[in-house]
Amino acid sequence: MARYLIRRILLAVVTMFAVSVLTFLLFFAVPTSPAYVMCGKQCDAHAIAQTEQRLGLDKPIVTQYGEFMKGIAVGRTYGTGDLAVKCDAPCLGFSFRTNEPVTDIIKRTLPVTVSVVVGALVIQLVIGVGLGMISALRRGTAFDKAAVGVSLVGASMQIYFFGPILLLIFVYSLHWLPNPAYTSPFDDPFKWFTQMILPWVTLGFLNSAIYARLSRAQMLETLSEDFVRTARAKGLPKRKVYARHALRAAITPIVTIAGLDLGGALGGAVITETVFGVNGLGRTSVNAVNDLNLPVVMGTVLLAAFFIICMNIIVDVLYSVIDPRVRLS
Amino acid sequence: MTQTPAGPHDYAEAPAGGLAVGEAPLGEPGEEVVAAGGKAIVGRSPGQLAWIRLKRDRVALVSGIVLVVMFILAIAAPLISKLYGANATDQHSDLLDTSGYPLGYLGGISGSHWLGLEPQLGRDVLMQLIYGMRTSLVIAFVSAIITVAIGIIIGIIAGYAGGVVDSILNWVIDLVLAFPFFIFCLAAIPVVTDAVYGSRGDVSALFRVGLIIGVFACFSWTYPARLVRGQVLSLREREFVEAARAAGAGMGHILFRQLLPNIWAPILVVFSLNVPSFITGEAALSFLNIGVVEPTPDLGRMINNGTSFLQTDPFYTMVSGATILILVLAFNLFGDSVRDALDPKSSR
Amino acid sequence: MTATASSAATSGVADDRPYLEVDDLRVQFKTEDGIVRAVDGISFALPRGRTLGIVGESGSGKSVTSLTVMGLHNAARTRITGSIKLDGREIVGLDDEQVRRMRGRDVAMIFQDPLSALHPYYTIGKQISEAYLVHHPGRKAEARKRAIEMLDRVGIPQPKKRADQYPHEFSGGMRQRAMIAMALVNDPSLLIADEPTTALDVTVQAQILDLLEDLQREFNSAIIMITHDLGVVSQVADEVMVMYGGHAIEFGSVEQVLRSPQHPYAWGLLQSVPSLRGNAEEDLDPIPGSPPSLINLPSGCAFHPRCAYKMVGGGPCDLEVPELLPTADAGHVVACHLPENERRRVYEEEIKLGAAQ
């Protein structure tokens, strides 16, 4: 187990390294002149050169990458003399637009995204998985048919269509809910909750549809397994057969998928946050992309990749805990 | 085994032996029994059987018709434009009120503009939808074809070569999967555009479309590659491939004559999953203003434009959103039916 | 099907009242393609301490029969008529809860593939004690003790240690032993074994069958052994019922059915068994054709399309369903239109020599 983990983490580090190199190349080698992009149209050649020097963009790309990585590890200093700006570890640079450290931007916006994603995850696990399991147990009934139909439409529905519909109904027409925004739950839990309902429901419901389909298929497959028949042959009551034997086996792959989804949740959050105008990491990165605010984009991409890689490891370990047949070695 | 059941089990692997074919399971005793019995239809290939099952499926029929209609609309867009008397780019500003909203009800529906006009610019919504579908379908299909092609090639190489090549390709797949696909897409597209066009501004529509397709293909080949690799690994040990090898068949013959015909079914399934996901992916990019650029009509960008008028002219957003929904739903339903037809054991 | 096999079965074991009595059992499923008549009028009786072998191809209805006795059919889609009496108590039409209470306690079952029949996520010990706990609620410590005791009894070494292992850590034979331990943990009076040795090596097969016989002597339980393997039947069964297309087509003592079978289908089964003493050069004779569709059984005798001795063209085989009628041998009943002397002659002259002799 320990050896497996070490090997796994080493591999993850290598992968993370490769991701960072590729991302770095894309952002700092591909564009004609990052300094030009950063400086904007009003800059003359002199200003651009100054910027390049301050950011170290005149150095060879390998050195630039080295400095960038060093910045993440121990921090770095941009520029020299009076103009020197210290950037503490983990340093991801400064926003081209506001000069705010990227790390601060992430710290500010990440809780918003976590709020959106975790709330939606709760909905999709409770409603999605619950619906799928129940409709599998009631296969062929009106309930099942309705659930299958709804989840089919839901799985084809898009956030950028469903979100506006809900906005139109609940905010603009009925005025039941405030316009979505983010308030820290520690400041005003009620406000946080009411403002977050719409993003949660939108993202959560659409994902529920996908999870319902998945869980239903998984549960149906499990119900036809021999060990479920064995459980019934023992004389176990239905409730126990389903809860202890069928559910236990059917839920395992869903846990895995939910873990991997959580790792990649930032992608879904981008659209949700944009639809509702919530200033999370996703919306911030979209804005940064549209401004070609490279350090912010770079930071987001690296962070997102880090999440994905971490969740992969966590899911693997979790799987070995749930399923005794999987031995990590 | 002389048994040739016409039941739903032929596509699954042949039963292991003699009389010990699986007994009726607890849940669905009927199906197994039917499978064992079945009508004595002899000598149908899995493909033919799948086709027969598909033809019987009413959902497949309806969704198939919807898709065909949409394809025809998209292909015949210029012709329709001529017959209908409006195109996707003309601005009918005379039909807008002073604040830029279409005159009349429901976004300005009229005899000459069946689905009304776009707020502010006054373009015909129906033609925008039809041309937008064209954009979606072209991007989705080309991306899916390229994705699957790359996947097949890499999967076959990894599965057939094995050893170091396989390990390296596997690691590359892991690497690509570690990339946050969507975020990377939306980061890469403007950066590459900037690298090519710099400050010159005018980005050609074709370049942007090509770039989107390229980015999709770059990140989506992993799944078909894994699938093909797995299939190749299990198939290359099977007797018919061994036999071909023993008979002195060349690598090319084994790959294209022996292996490919045996993996087309899962590939078709991947393809049917990819197309709708590329449609939604492209629309999402355009919704975020990173997709296809003006003036090429695009469904995602229509929704994005519409959200600014959500309170004043919701019809515009609803029409474009519904079009994507119908398109994707039809693809998903049809894809499900194809999957069921190919693998009758799957339970939907 | 009135001159039923029950008389045959009871005659074998003096005045002992049968533990299981099945009378004119019919099981039908509704499917999209039509009604499947999986079991169509089966009758037999089985006293404690005796073993009934049910033989047939897949789809012959043998497994459905046993699942119905266990009450493990899908109630929503299945229609059952006839009678199943367990220790004199009718269980057809009994409500689910009462059948459940009896399941695992009075009747237990062993399945074909022990790997898939055991839950992969629970230890063997836990799965066995769970079976005990269902019918002895609240006695946790006792259940564990009992599980270890049973593992020991079925010949699993170091039962204490093995109880804490998972099914995938057991070998195939050991898994089936554990399965048997689980089935016997409540001392059931009737044990249904559905192809218990099919998934196992031949050497392990023999051990498992020996074990079952030992345990039967010890617990005096009745056993239904479902199999397609005539070797298994000859080793463990007292009576044999041959099934085809949902019907019983031959019933008798193991001697009668295996030594002097009278139904052409039973001949076919015998001929498709390889023999150690037979001619190695000679090909096995598989039964031509495929098992019939249970939705649309062939008219008359369900076996007639595959039968080499059929009498058609005005003859009864494709028109009338043959009844299960007694033969000259007491207790041996056969459902075949061929005259009995003809059947005896064909078997003696054409089949016996080619078969396992």
Side-chain angles (χ1 to χ4, degrees):
Chain A
M1 177 80 178
R3 265 179 65 191
Y4 171 83
L5 259 187
I6 291 168
R7 220 181 56 208
R8 198 57 224 270
I9 290 170
L10 279 180
L11 194 68
V13 168
V14 175
T15 310
M16 197 62 218
F17 171 74
V19 170
S20 72
V21 168
L22 288 173
T23 319
F24 193 83
L25 278 179
L26 177 72
F27 289 130
F28 289 92
V30 172
T32 34
S33 161
Y36 174 82
V37 172
M38 167 192 172
C39 200
K41 293 206 162 92
Q42 67 277 20
C43 285
D44 52 18
H46 176 69
I48 291 176
Q50 239 179 0
T51 314
E52 276 192 346
Q53 203 200 349
R54 188 163 64 87
L55 293 180
L57 296 173
D58 49 348
K59 292 177 192 159
I61 187 82
V62 178
T63 319
Q64 283 186 47
Y65 176 77
E67 283 181 356
F68 182 80
M69 293 313 280
K70 189 185 139 222
I72 294 178
V74 294
R76 67 190 281 199
T77 308
Y78 285 104
T80 46
D82 293 344
L83 292 169
V85 184
K86 187 149 169 33
C87 175
D88 295 325
C91 171
L92 291 164
F94 294 89
S95 160
F96 281 0
R97 301 290 160 207
T98 59
N99 257 340
E100 193 183 356
V102 173
T103 322
D104 287 2
I105 296 180
I106 291 176
K107 268 185 207 148
R108 181 161 49 80
T109 54
L110 190 60
V112 183
T113 302
V114 169
S115 257
V116 172
V117 166
V118 171
L121 187 76
V122 170
I123 291 183
Q124 75 203 42
L125 286 183
V126 172
I127 295 186
V129 176
L131 202 66
M133 296 291 172
I134 294 170
S135 68
L137 293 179
R138 302 191 179 167
R139 188 185 190 179
T141 60
F143 178 89
D144 179 36
K145 281 174 186 153
V148 167
V150 168
S151 58
L152 242 167
V153 176
S156 306
M157 192 76 164
Q158 297 301 311
I159 306 172
Y160 41 82
F161 181 38
F162 193 50
I165 293 179
L166 293 187
L167 263 181
L168 190 63
I169 296 174
F170 293 104
V171 180
Y172 300 150
S173 302
L174 298 173
H175 302 287
W176 286 359
L177 291 169
N179 232 321
Y182 178 76
T183 310
S184 168
F186 303 106
D187 297 344
D188 187 343
F190 181 73
K191 203 171 167 195
W192 170 76
F193 187 80
T194 51
Q195 286 178 331
M196 276 289 154
I197 285 182
L198 226 40
W200 286 340
V201 167
T202 309
L203 189 57
F205 265 37
L206 298 193
N207 288 344
S208 290
I210 297 166
Y211 275 64
R213 278 161 66 84
L214 198 76
S215 332
R216 181 174 179 274
Q218 201 62 48
M219 190 64 173
L220 283 181
E221 201 184 315
T222 309
L223 285 178
S224 69
E225 293 276 2
D226 284 358
F227 58 77
V228 172
R229 182 174 59 180
T230 308
R232 288 186 63 201
K234 283 178 188 176
L236 282 173
K238 266 201 169 120
R239 194 170 31 81
K240 278 188 181 164
V241 173
Y242 294 151
R244 216 185 277 166
H245 290 254
L247 191 65
R248 173 78 201 270
I251 207 101
T252 312
I254 293 168
V255 169
T256 313
I257 290 167
L260 296 178
D261 276 357
L262 191 61
L266 199 51
V270 169
I271 300 175
T272 314
E273 290 172 12
T274 310
V275 167
F276 294 108
V278 179
N279 277 316
L281 189 56
R283 185 161 188 243
T284 307
S285 66
V286 172
N287 291 340
V289 164
N290 278 318
D291 290 352
L292 281 177
N293 193 346
L294 298 181
V296 176
V297 181
M298 173 99 189
T300 321
V301 171
L302 288 183
L303 189 69
F306 178 74
F307 279 146
I308 292 178
I309 292 172
C310 283
M311 275 324 282
N312 273 333
I313 297 181
I314 293 174
V315 161
D316 271 4
V317 172
L318 202 63
Y319 207 99
S320 78
V321 173
I322 305 179
D323 187 341
R325 285 170 300 180
V326 179
R327 282 278 158 265
L328 303 180
S329 57
Chain B
M1 288 283 310
T2 42
Q3 201 176 337
T4 336
H9 274 258
D10 335 50
Y11 183 68
E13 317 139 40
L19 302 172
V21 183
E23 281 291 343
L26 153 79
E28 328 299 330
E31 289 167 9
E32 291 279 335
V33 176
V34 182
K39 284 159 242 146
I41 302 168
V42 190
R44 280 217 167 107
S45 74
Q48 286 170 315
L49 284 165
W51 177 240
I52 290 170
R53 276 190 289 264
L54 195 62
K55 277 198 293 194
R56 270 204 305 238
D57 189 339
R58 237 179 299 152
V59 175
L61 187 74
V62 174
S63 55
I65 290 173
V66 170
L67 288 180
V68 168
V69 168
M70 287 187 147
F71 274 114
I72 292 174
L73 285 179
I75 291 168
L79 184 70
I80 293 168
S81 166
K82 213 169 253 172
L83 293 174
Y84 172 73
N87 65 25
T89 44
D90 280 352
Q91 304 188 357
H92 305 270
S93 38
D94 52 318
L95 297 173
L96 303 178
D97 64 15
T98 44
S99 38
Y101 292 107
L103 299 163
Y105 296 103
L106 284 175
I109 287 186
S110 68
S112 49
H113 301 287
W114 296 356
L115 289 177
L117 296 168
E118 179 184 355
Q120 304 303 340
L121 291 177
R123 296 183 288 198
D124 183 80
V125 174
L126 180 65
M127 284 323 291
Q128 278 203 303
L129 286 181
I130 291 177
Y131 273 98
M133 258 162 33
R134 202 175 152 115
T135 315
S136 279
L137 290 174
V138 166
I139 292 182
F141 267 86
V142 176
S143 307
I145 290 169
I146 297 179
T147 298
V148 168
I150 299 178
I152 292 175
I153 293 169
I154 295 192
I156 286 184
I157 293 174
Y160 205 82
V164 185
V165 179
D166 187 27
S167 308
I168 292 173
L169 285 175
N170 254 328
W171 183 73
V172 172
I173 290 177
D174 277 342
L175 177 65
V176 173
L177 286 176
F179 270 96
F181 165 64
F182 195 68
I183 294 196
F184 201 81
C185 271
L186 65 93
I189 290 171
V191 169
V192 175
T193 309
D194 175 70
V196 173
Y197 282 86
S199 54
R200 276 178 292 143
D202 301 336
V203 180
S204 97
L206 202 62
F207 171 78
R208 203 55 180 259
V209 168
L211 186 57
I212 294 172
I213 292 174
V215 172
F216 280 169
C218 261
F219 285 98
S220 310
W221 57 269
T222 49
Y223 184 68
R226 279 224 160 132
L227 191 112
V228 170
R229 174 182 170 269
Q231 296 279 336
V232 170
L233 278 182
S234 68
L235 282 173
R236 59 180 250 183
E237 305 305 330
R238 294 267 282 275
E239 287 86 347
F240 62 92
V241 176
E242 294 267 313
R245 201 179 303 150
M251 177 94 163
H253 175 87
I254 292 178
L255 287 182
F256 291 98
R257 289 291 167 79
Q258 306 285 334
L259 290 177
L260 267 187
N262 278 291
I263 52 178
W264 67 268
I267 288 173
L268 197 63
V269 170
V270 173
F271 187 82
S272 76
L273 287 169
N274 268 340
V275 170
S277 85
F278 287 145
I279 290 177
T280 57
E282 185 275 323
L285 286 178
S286 298
F287 174 78
L288 297 172
N289 258 329
I290 298 159
V292 178
V293 284
E294 292 276 14
T296 314
D298 184 278
L299 298 173
R301 207 185 50 238
M302 284 175 79
I303 298 186
N304 187 25
N305 292 344
T307 46
S308 353
F309 319 115
L310 196 55
Q311 296 189 64
T312 43
D313 184 6
F315 190 71
Y316 185 65
T317 307
M318 294 305 135
V319 170
S320 40
T323 306
I324 298 187
L325 176 63
I326 293 170
L327 195 60
V328 173
L329 186 61
F331 266 111
N332 282 341
L333 286 173
F334 193 73
D336 270 359
S337 298
V338 168
R339 232 163 298 151
D340 283 359
L342 289 174
D343 178 11
K345 281 216 285 194
S346 72
S347 36
R348 170 148 60 102
Chain C
M1 289 238 14
T2 37
T4 59
S6 59
S7 58
T10 33
S11 68
V13 192
D15 41 38
D16 200 353
R17 210 184 89 215
Y19 182 74
L20 171 69
E21 286 171 282
V22 173
D23 189 36
D24 196 23
L25 178 69
R26 287 165 203 270
V27 183
Q28 302 177 345
F29 312 116
K30 266 178 248 148
T31 68
E32 277 176 28
D33 304 301
I35 291 176
V36 176
R37 291 169 214 281
V39 176
D40 207 12
I42 295 281
S43 304
F44 61 85
L46 184 64
R48 280 177 156 245
R50 303 283 288 183
T51 302
L52 169 71
I54 302 183
V55 191
E57 286 167 298
S58 51
S60 62
K62 56 190 183 353
S63 285
V64 176
T65 307
S66 62
L67 290 175
T68 311
V69 172
M70 288 289 286
L72 285 178
H73 50 275
N74 180 349
R77 301 206 302 170
T78 315
R79 217 175 70 103
I80 297 172
T81 56
S83 149
I84 301 173
K85 278 195 183 130
L86 211 60
D87 208 10
R89 187 178 176 207
E90 178 61 52
I91 60 168
V92 171
L94 212 59
D95 74 62
D96 282 356
E97 180 58 21
Q98 281 168 301
V99 178
R100 180 189 71 73
R101 279 172 198 282
M102 153 220 107
R103 211 185 287 147
R105 190 187 61 196
D106 303 327
V107 191
M109 192 152 178
I110 304 170
F111 297 100
Q112 178 173 351
D113 178 3
L115 183 57
S116 58
L118 289 164
H119 200 294
Y121 297 170
Y122 296 110
T123 60
I124 294 282
K126 191 152 188 250
Q127 296 190 50
I128 298 177
S129 45
E130 186 186 35
Y132 185 77
L133 277 170
V134 185
H135 301 289
H136 304 82
R139 298 200 236 160
K140 272 209 161 141
E142 191 183 307
R144 175 162 170 92
K145 217 184 96 205
R146 178 97 178 124
I148 293 169
E149 199 180 291
M150 286 310 297
L151 283 176
D152 189 36
R153 182 62 201 83
V154 296
I156 289 179
Q158 294 179 284
K160 242 191 180 131
K161 191 181 130 225
R162 298 293 257 171
D164 292 327
Q165 290 183 338
Y166 292 93
H168 70 273
E169 296 170 282
F170 278 52
S171 69
M174 285 297 157
R175 249 177 246 139
Q176 195 58 294
R177 281 171 195 267
M179 194 77 214
I180 293 172
M182 190 159 90
L184 293 180
V185 74
N186 292 313
D187 290 340
S189 311
L190 171 63
L191 183 65
I192 302 175
D194 190 350
E195 310 254 6
T197 57
T198 309
L200 304 176
D201 286 347
V202 182
T203 45
V204 182
Q205 262 185 30
Q207 293 169 10
I208 296 290
L209 292 178
D210 283 345
L211 175 66
L212 277 176
E213 281 195 302
D214 278 359
L215 294 170
Q216 178 174 37
R217 261 193 298 277
E218 188 177 324
F219 295 99
N220 192 33
S221 43
I223 296 182
I224 296 180
M225 175 71 67
I226 295 164
T227 182
H228 64 268
D229 186 338
L230 293 178
V232 170
V233 172
S234 69
Q235 191 179 341
V236 298
D238 301 304
E239 276 91 37
V240 181
M241 177 162 80
V242 182
M243 285 188 72
Y244 188 83
H247 296 273
I249 52 155
E250 184 156 359
F251 187 103
S253 71
V254 68
E255 276 291 308
Q256 288 165 337
V257 176
L258 293 188
R259 292 284 168 218
S260 54
Q262 294 203 10
H263 196 286
Y265 175 66
W267 302 340
L269 283 182
L270 273 183
Q271 281 175 318
S272 55
V273 176
S275 160
L276 282 179
R277 282 164 291 176
N279 187 352
E281 304 289 305
E282 205 169 311
D283 285 338
L284 288 176
D285 275 335
I287 305 172
S290 50
S293 156
L294 293 174
I295 292 176
N296 209 347
L297 269 188
S299 61
C301 170
F303 186 62
H304 89 260
R306 301 167 74 185
C307 182
Y309 307 94
K310 60 179 170 262
M311 300 178 287
V312 288
C317 287
D318 55 344
L319 299 176
E320 276 172 56
V321 180
E323 278 183 43
L324 203 52
L325 296 174
T327 62
D329 244 345
H332 192 180
V333 289
V334 178
C336 181
H337 288 303
L338 287 173
E340 190 178 345
N341 353 354
E342 179 68 6
R343 296 193 303 240
R344 286 187 186 281
R345 187 192 64 79
V346 174
Y347 180 70
E348 292 298 330
E349 290 174 12
E350 298 176 27
I351 312 293
K352 202 170 177 180
L353 297 170
Q357 294 296 312

